[in-house]
C-alpha cells in the first residue's frame, strides 16, 4: 500500500509538471452535487468554465441538469465510470462529496490513477484531509472548518474580513488603528514594530488603492494588512 501511494504521488508530480499553462483548458468535472458542489459548479459556470456535474443521485442530477453545462448520473468510485465520461481527459476535477468519506477517498484515488493534473477535494475533518493529502491530493478544502474559523475572527474582534493562507500567513481588512494614522506609513514603522504590511487603503466613498510608504492613513480609513496570523490579529485589535 505504501509503495502504491508513493508511485501514485510520483506519477502525479510528473503529470503536473508536464501540464500546459493554466487557462488553456477551462473544463472541470465536479463530482458530488450537494450544496457545496452545486454552488461551486454554478460559480465556475458564471466565470465561463465548461462544467461536468456528476452525482450518484438521479434526483440531484435532474434538478440541476438545466443549470449545468453537462450533468451525468454515475458512481465515480468505479474508475470505468470516470473513463466513460471522459474525466481522464480533463485537467481539473473537484471531489465535492460530503459525508461519505470512503467514496471521497475512492474517487480521489481514481482521479489520481487517471492522472488528472489538478484535483481539489472537500474534506469534512482534518483527519479526512490528511488521508487525502497522503494519497497525493494537493488541494484539500475544509469549507465548514475554514468558514467557522473566519467567522469566529470577525465575531470576536475588530476585523471586517479575515483570510488565512498556508504557513501561518493571513490577510485582514480592518479599520485603521490610531497608531497607523496621521503620518506616512514609511514613518509609522508598522512593519518593524508589529510585523505587518499595509497593502491597501480605502477611504469612505472611495475605491481601494495600493498603499505606499508615502501613504498617510486617516482616522476611519479601512486598510488591508498582511503578515503572520498572530501579528495581524494583534495589530487589528489595537485601538
Amino acid at each position: 500500500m505504501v509503495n502504491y501511494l508513493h508511485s501514485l504521488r510520483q506519477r502525479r508530480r510528473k503529470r503536473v509538471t508536464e501540464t500546459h499553462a493554466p487557462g488553456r483548458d477551462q473544463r472541470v468535472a465536479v463530482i458530488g452535487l450537494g450544496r457545496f458542489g452545486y454552488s461551486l459548479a454554478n460559480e465556475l459556470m458564471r466565470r465561463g468554465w465548461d462544467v461536468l456535474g456528476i452525482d450518484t443521485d438521479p434526483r440531484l442530477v435532474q434538478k440541476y441538469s438545466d443549470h449545468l453545462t453537462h450533468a451525468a448520473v454515475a458512481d465515480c468510485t468505479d474508475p470505468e465510470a470516470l473513463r466513460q465520461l471522459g474525466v481522464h481527459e480533463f485537467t481539473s476535477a473537484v471531489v465535492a462529496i460530503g459525508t461519505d468519506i470512503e467514496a471521497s477517498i475512492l474517487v480521489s484515488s481514481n482521479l489520481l490513477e487517471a492522472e488528472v493534473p489538478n484535483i481539489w477535494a472537500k474534506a469534512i475533518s482534518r483527519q479526512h484531509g490528511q488521508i487525502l493529502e497522503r494519497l497525493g491530493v494537493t488541494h484539500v478544502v475544509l469549507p465548514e472548518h475554514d468558514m467557522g474559523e473566519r467567522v469566529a475572527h470577525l465575531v470576536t474582534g475588530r476585523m471586517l474580513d479575515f483570510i488565512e493562507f498556508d504557513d501561518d500567513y493571513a490577510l485582514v481588512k480592518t479599520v485603521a488603528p490610531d497608531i497607523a494614522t496621521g503620518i506616512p506609513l514609511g514613518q509609522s514603522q508598522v512593519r518593524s514594530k508589529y510585523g505587518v504590511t499595509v497593502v491597501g487603503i480605502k477611504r469612505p466613498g472611495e475605491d481601494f488603492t495600493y498603499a505606499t510608504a508615502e501613504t498617510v492613513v486617516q482616522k476611519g480609513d479601512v486598510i488591508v494588512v498582511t503578515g503572520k496570523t498572530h501579528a495581524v490579529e494583534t495589530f487589528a485589535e489595537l485601538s
Side-chain angles (χ1 to χ4, degrees):
M1 182 64 172
V2 173
N3 289 336
Y4 167 73
L5 291 177
H6 177 72
S7 174
L8 205 58
R9 286 194 290 266
Q10 289 291 99
R11 290 204 302 273
R12 173 168 169 73
R13 280 195 290 267
K14 182 175 184 293
R15 179 65 180 271
V16 169
T17 302
E18 296 173 349
T19 302
H20 295 299
R24 292 287 298 275
D25 184 355
Q26 287 192 297
R27 295 181 302 162
V28 59
V30 177
I31 302 168
L33 294 177
R35 285 178 295 179
F36 174 75
Y38 174 68
S39 176
L40 173 65
N42 192 48
E43 180 61 22
L44 287 167
M45 286 189 59
R46 191 183 70 80
R47 293 168 181 254
W49 280 62
D50 187 356
V51 178
L52 168 61
I54 308 169
D55 202 284
T56 56
D57 188 340
R59 294 172 300 175
L60 283 178
V61 173
Q62 179 64 33
K63 179 179 179 180
Y64 297 132
S65 60
D66 292 337
H67 305 282
L68 300 175
T69 316
H70 312 283
V73 179
D75 181 1
C76 293
T77 61
D78 179 1
E80 180 61 20
L82 287 173
R83 191 193 67 80
Q84 290 182 5
L85 289 170
V87 175
H88 62 288
E89 299 176 353
F90 284 45
T91 58
S92 299
V94 179
V95 182
I97 296 171
T99 56
D100 192 338
I101 295 178
E102 182 179 358
S104 167
I105 292 170
L106 286 172
V107 172
S108 298
S109 179
N110 288 340
L111 290 169
L112 288 163
E113 188 67 36
E115 298 187 340
V116 175
N118 301 301
I119 302 170
W120 284 260
K122 174 186 176 182
I124 61 173
S125 67
R126 289 196 178 276
Q127 184 180 29
H128 181 195
Q130 288 171 352
I131 293 171
L132 293 170
E133 288 173 348
R134 288 169 186 163
L135 275 177
V137 177
T138 55
H139 307 288
V140 176
V141 183
L142 290 93
E144 287 85 0
H145 174 272
D146 292 344
M147 184 54 68
E149 185 177 54
R150 183 179 181 186
V151 173
H153 276 89
L154 306 186
V155 169
T156 60
R158 298 175 66 247
M159 302 176 195
L160 303 176
D161 208 347
F162 173 89
I163 301 174
E164 187 170 22
F165 304 96
D166 293 335
D167 303 320
D168 189 32
Y169 191 83
L171 181 148
V172 165
K173 181 170 75 171
T174 186
V175 176
D178 291 342
I179 55 93
T181 64
I183 59 175
L185 286 171
Q187 297 177 24
S188 69
Q189 299 182 327
V190 165
R191 183 180 299 180
S192 59
K193 286 184 177 179
Y194 302 100
V196 302
T197 301
V198 179
V199 296
I201 179 173
K202 184 182 189 306
R203 295 203 165 96
E206 299 181 12
D207 294 331
F208 266 105
T209 58
Y210 290 110
T212 68
E214 290 73 37
T215 299
V216 177
V217 180
Q218 299 174 3
K219 190 174 182 65
D221 286 349
V222 172
I223 57 176
V224 176
V225 180
T226 64
K228 291 290 186 179
T229 302
H230 178 69
V232 295
E233 289 173 338
T234 300
F235 181 78
E237 293 304 316
L238 296 172
S239 59

